[in-house]
Amino acid sequence: MLKSGGITLDHYIPTGSIDAIKLLDIGRQYFEGVDFLHQNGIQHNDLKPANSVLDDSGQLTIIDFGLATR
């Protein structure tokens, strides 16, 4: 499924526009996403803020699986 819209996390970091509660939620989603990948035998190999998109509703999506391996 393709994801449209949203802003990569590397654009939020310099602005400091994420409060502590939202940051904890983003971290939880991030770790749940990585856990899901690993449970399905996928290793992303390029996790970084630029490869994580946050949409208007606060949903995190890990993107760019160009270096991923099984």
Side-chain angles (χ1 to χ4, degrees):
M1 178 172 126
L2 294 176
K3 174 115 178 138
S4 63
I7 299 173
T8 58
L9 288 183
D10 61 335
H11 285 83
Y12 282 104
I13 292 169
T15 65
S17 61
I18 299 177
D19 64 38
I21 299 297
K22 186 62 188 166
L23 190 58
L24 287 172
D25 183 52
I26 291 168
R28 178 193 55 78
Q29 290 183 66
Y30 199 81
F31 289 118
E32 286 176 356
V34 171
D35 184 49
F36 175 83
L37 292 174
H38 290 178
Q39 285 184 27
N40 288 280
I42 300 168
Q43 189 170 350
H44 189 280
N45 295 319
D46 195 21
L47 291 173
K48 59 187 176 186
N51 287 339
S52 304
V53 175
L54 195 62
D55 67 16
D56 291 338
S57 69
Q59 180 68 40
L60 181 80
T61 303
I62 298 172
I63 61 171
D64 192 357
F65 286 80
L67 296 176
T69 56
R70 283 197 162 270

